[in-house]
Amino acid sequence: MVEVVVERNYTDGIITRFQDAFPEQIPDKSFSSQWTTFITQLNQMFSEAETFSYVCVLEGLLSALTLYSLPLFYETKAKKKFKEIREFLDTSNKTIFSPKGMELCDPFANGLLFLKIIVHNGAR
Amino acid sequence: MTGKKKYETWPGKNHIFCHGRLMAGGGSRGWFWFTHVLFIIPAVLFSVDVCPWLAREISPAVVVIFAWLTLACVVFFYMAAFSDPGITPRQATRPKKRGPSILKIDVNGVRLKMKFCETCNIYRPPRTSHCSVCDNCIDRFDHHCPWIGNCIGKRNYHLFLLFVFTITIQCFYVLSFSLVKIVFMATKDGRSGIDSFTYIWADSPLVIPIALFMFIVTILVCSLASFHLFLIATGQTTYEKLKKVYKTQQNPFTKGPLMNFVHLLFQPWSPAYIHLLDEDETTRVTTENATSAVPVIDSLEVIS
């Protein structure tokens, strides 16, 4: 069993972004194109979830003025985006990683510090 | 058989209440209750002594605004006190047995160091620091606030700011209207000098100590609010200012005073990494070790 760790990419600041280079420890080299699609989409989704826009300002302002009773009824855009990210990670694990004998661990459990992929024995 | 919940095996020094539903910071809870005393006493005295007079002489709207400001202060205070500041979960093992103690990375062209945290077993991302009072690594660590009884970090800095700004406005408001009452009573019916003082002291003695107390408190909260406005303008955290991080080095995180202010006060929601009500998998009892916990009666000697 091999544990592959993909670190964060901090070159553009502390926005959540993972290194997009294909991890060398993954034995199946034909996985490269699927990896690129996956990591590009993941970074794009994080970028959208953490983006700052007029919607953010409006939501923040209304939340503060209503003494944070607004978030009880209304799901903010960022919260929706993070939900989509979790679903995307779950789906990717089932459709991309599992068929190749790999397991994508939940990055939220480690505080989005790294992506851990477990390559099970006999994965080719 | 399920093991324990994460709040039962929490490794940090945080105080956890209501069976894992509320988490505050570590350290003494005394200061947290002292803040209540400092807030409640003038609010009650003002409500009892000055508010009825204000409603009569000026307008009930003045009292309504005071009530709203007080409620806002209380709400923001409790939200800041019991919110997750951005605790980074501990890792069970070191990432590499003999890895370096410092990693060097480039952020927006500025070279920064990521130090290894021995307690949490992680390389701290930029702006993350370990709070020794709570014993956790906090994302965008600002400071540990004993008055609130929690750390201030990425996830609750905007709540802390709202609390500080609202309480500054509320203090100014209470001070101003206390002074309005004093001036009004002092000059009523053409009084002046010592007559004014004796009239106020006989008719409404509380208003003078309220005004004096609020004068001192307003200066203090105003200083804190100004300090944080300065930090926001320069794009620093309290910790970075105290450690003089950007004295010699360029700050790669600042976007200019106005954008910093807007970004910090209206930042989008970010998820908490800690879920205290989840099961702690390391305490899960499997069927194998469950049987070993049951005493084997056959081996007991029969005592006749």
Side-chain angles (χ1 to χ4, degrees):
Chain A
M1 191 177 85
V2 176
E3 277 187 8
V4 181
V5 169
V6 177
E7 299 281 352
R8 283 270 294 271
N9 182 345
Y10 293 110
T11 50
D12 289 331
I14 44 178
I15 50 162
T16 309
R17 211 176 127 199
F18 293 97
Q19 302 277 0
D20 42 24
F22 181 70
E24 288 149 3
Q25 294 134 300
I26 294 180
D28 185 1
K29 302 300 170 192
S30 66
F31 190 66
S32 175
S33 59
Q34 281 176 303
W35 168 259
T36 312
T37 321
F38 164 74
I39 202 73
T40 317
Q41 193 175 349
L42 185 67
N43 285 335
Q44 173 66 19
M45 288 179 95
F46 271 118
S47 166
E48 281 170 14
E50 293 174 349
T51 194
F52 190 76
S53 62
Y54 292 111
V55 179
C56 270
V57 176
L58 191 66
E59 282 172 347
L61 197 61
L62 285 175
S63 298
L65 289 172
T66 58
L67 304 185
Y68 285 91
S69 51
L70 184 77
L72 297 171
F73 320 108
Y74 170 78
E75 198 177 44
T76 56
K77 188 177 146 200
K79 209 167 183 179
K80 282 194 193 108
K81 288 281 180 184
F82 273 102
K83 228 184 198 171
E84 282 172 26
I85 291 175
R86 281 185 196 267
E87 282 166 9
F88 172 69
L89 288 167
D90 208 26
T91 320
S92 300
N93 192 26
K94 289 191 182 108
T95 58
I96 306 174
F97 290 87
S98 285
K100 301 274 180 176
M102 293 187 275
E103 187 191 338
L104 177 68
C105 298
D106 181 21
F108 289 96
N110 62 47
L112 296 178
L113 292 178
F114 51 81
L115 273 177
K116 190 158 80 172
I117 303 161
I118 300 175
V119 183
H120 294 294
N121 284 331
R124 265 277 138 239
Chain B
M1 262 167 76
T2 53
K4 297 189 171 195
K5 299 276 183 188
K6 285 208 169 116
Y7 73 90
E8 293 172 298
T9 58
W10 180 249
K13 289 186 197 161
N14 297 73
H15 294 283
I16 301 171
F17 309 103
C18 298
H19 298 284
R21 283 171 189 84
L22 287 175
M23 181 162 78
S28 163
R29 298 298 289 162
W31 275 44
F32 172 74
W33 293 114
F34 184 59
T35 314
H36 284 74
V37 169
L38 278 184
F39 184 77
I40 289 169
I41 290 179
V44 164
L45 293 178
F46 184 80
S47 310
V48 161
D49 194 80
V50 186
C51 283
W53 182 88
L54 284 171
R56 260 196 333 266
E57 298 288 332
I58 303 177
S59 164
V62 174
V63 179
V64 170
I65 294 171
F66 164 72
W68 178 256
L69 279 173
T70 310
L71 181 67
C73 285
V74 170
V75 168
F76 295 142
F77 174 76
Y78 274 97
M79 288 194 77
F82 293 104
S83 54
D84 181 334
I87 300 173
T88 309
R90 295 185 187 198
Q91 294 303 300
T93 52
R94 284 185 79 105
K96 279 179 191 162
K97 278 220 169 67
R98 289 176 67 200
S101 62
I102 298 175
L103 287 178
K104 293 196 174 77
I105 55 164
D106 286 315
V107 177
N108 287 333
V110 178
R111 176 131 286 200
L112 295 175
K113 293 178 193 163
M114 282 172 65
K115 288 193 185 153
F116 186 74
C117 182
E118 292 286 340
T119 318
C120 304
N121 277 326
I122 57 164
Y123 282 99
R124 288 189 210 119
R127 311 196 102 176
T128 301
S129 264
H130 193 94
C131 173
S132 51
V133 183
C134 305
D135 208 19
N136 296 311
C137 268
I138 312 286
D139 212 346
R140 201 195 178 274
F141 180 68
D142 194 83
H143 66 287
H144 179 95
C145 184
W147 303 88
I148 285 182
N150 201 5
C151 277
I152 309 298
K154 176 175 155 199
R155 294 188 79 248
N156 64 0
Y157 189 56
H158 63 289
L159 295 168
F160 174 75
L161 285 179
L162 281 170
F163 170 63
V164 169
F165 295 147
T166 314
I167 207 158
T168 308
I169 297 168
Q170 204 246 16
C171 283
F172 265 114
Y173 194 85
V174 171
L175 177 64
S176 310
F177 283 104
S178 304
L179 289 174
V180 160
K181 185 179 183 193
I182 289 174
V183 168
F184 199 89
M185 289 180 81
T187 55
K188 195 175 176 189
D189 301 329
R191 282 189 184 82
S192 63
I194 199 77
D195 280 339
S196 307
F197 182 77
T198 45
Y199 174 58
I200 297 171
W201 194 250
D203 194 80
S204 173
L206 286 173
V207 73
I208 297 175
I210 291 172
L212 283 170
F213 182 80
M214 289 316 296
F215 182 69
I216 298 166
V217 172
T218 306
I219 289 175
L220 293 172
V221 293
C222 214
S223 321
L224 182 66
S226 314
F227 177 63
H228 276 277
L229 282 173
F230 165 75
L231 288 177
I232 295 167
T234 52
Q236 296 178 80
T237 63
T238 308
Y239 182 78
E240 285 163 355
K241 177 84 184 88
L242 292 175
K243 292 280 179 181
K244 301 191 166 105
V245 172
Y246 301 122
K247 200 159 189 179
T248 49
Q249 191 185 49
Q250 196 194 338
N251 185 346
F253 303 109
T254 182
K255 302 173 191 78
L258 183 65
M259 285 317 285
N260 285 345
F261 182 78
V262 178
H263 270 256
L264 284 169
L265 207 55
F266 303 117
Q267 63 165 62
W269 177 90
S270 58
Y273 304 128
I274 304 292
H275 303 285
L276 292 172
L277 296 171
D278 283 356
E279 194 198 346
D280 186 349
E281 296 94 12
T282 57
T283 63
R284 190 180 291 166
V285 180
T286 60
T287 45
E288 286 148 5
N289 60 16
T291 48
S292 66
V294 175
V296 180
I297 299 171
D298 294 343
S299 67
L300 286 174
E301 281 188 332
V302 176
I303 301 165
S304 54

